[in-house]
Amino acid sequence: MKILVTGAGGQVGLDLLRILHARGDEVHASDVALPPEALQQDLPWHRLDVTGAAEVDALVAAVAPEVVFHLAAILSARGEADPQRTYAINQNGTLNVLEACRRNSVRQVIFTSTIAVFGPPLPDLVPDDIALHPTTMYGVTKIAGELLGDYYFRRYGLDFRAVRFPGLISAVLPGGGTSDYAPLMYFEALRVGHYEAFCRPDATIPLMYMPDALRALVELSEAPRERLTRSVYNVAAFSPTAREIADEVARAVPGADITFKPDPARQAILDSWPKALDDSLARRDWGWIPRHDLQAMTADLLPKLRELLPGAST
Ligand code: AKB
């Protein structure tokens, strides 16, 4: 199957390219940035700024993909540094991608939404359908993307599907997210032996290991449409406190010293997000089930990071 991935150079994109390529798909990557030197797959890489409607349309017309994974976005923390640019990329960019897909008869669009669509007041376990009060431009634009995609499905029959991801942890460094304290504990413990987290020790948000997140995207894409009762689904894995992650890292990387110095702005974003997500509709409709908890993730992730980080402590 021919697939186009937008935002392919990001934390999700680089790993997604690898698994789609391994599945035998003809994968076209696009990003505003050049491909990283360490890109492991030999695949076409297209420079694309999703804010340019004509540029997006021309690329989708030229590649003629059957499925588009639309990942291009600015994340929550970086988004607050420039909300207007975040709006242009996340909101106009998503409209441009949907419109290009409609005009060029793309069959399916998979969209990555987020826990940042939620905001207070929230129950302990947050369901799919609840009043949405995001506190960041990232959250605002991701809701708009969800609604736009669902509109394109109902109005034009474009098969739009989305997951609301927790904070993601992988062997690729994240960029500009508020959940970054979690992966950074692992990276910095191995790289330099210490990390000062920008959150409180009791900060708690839903998190997920990247292989589970990628499987969610692929499984949702492959699910028969008639089994889906909605376009957008919560997906969840585990919800440790920041202190629990720090203890887990210290257990697995002897000598690692993780301290806490909360940054008020980023801590306020974390406080506005769910502590845990109810993903029962994804489980019921397309059989979603996470495979990694905090301990299973640590066991799988650390050897990968040790290989990647030269001179990492053992
Ligand atoms: C972020 O921190 O902005 C993202 C997210 C939770 O969507 N990782």
Side-chain angles (χ1 to χ4, degrees), residues 98 107 109 146-161 225-226 228-232:
L98 289 169
R107 179 175 64 79
V109 174
E146 292 181 1
L147 294 173
L148 269 174
D150 193 51
Y151 176 81
Y152 270 69
F153 171 56
R154 286 180 291 100
R155 177 79 163 78
Y156 301 113
L158 176 64
D159 184 6
F160 172 88
R161 306 173 182 200
R225 183 84 219 192
E226 59 277 11
L228 305 185
T229 55
R230 51 197 300 118
S231 298
V232 182

Side-chain angles (χ1 to χ4, degrees), residues 75-76 114-115 138 167 177-179 273:
L75 299 184
S76 56
T114 165
I115 51 170
Y138 171 63
T178 313
S179 61
W273 287 351

Side-chain angles (χ1 to χ4, degrees), residues 11 74-78 112-117 136 138 142 164-168 174-180 205-207 269-270 273:
Q11 188 198 12
I74 295 194
L75 299 184
S76 56
R78 186 167 298 157
T112 46
S113 190
T114 165
I115 51 170
V117 298
T136 60
Y138 171 63
K142 284 292 182 177
R164 287 182 180 145
F165 272 148
L168 300 178
T178 313
S179 61
D180 292 3
I205 60 165
L207 294 170
I269 295 175
L270 293 170
W273 287 351

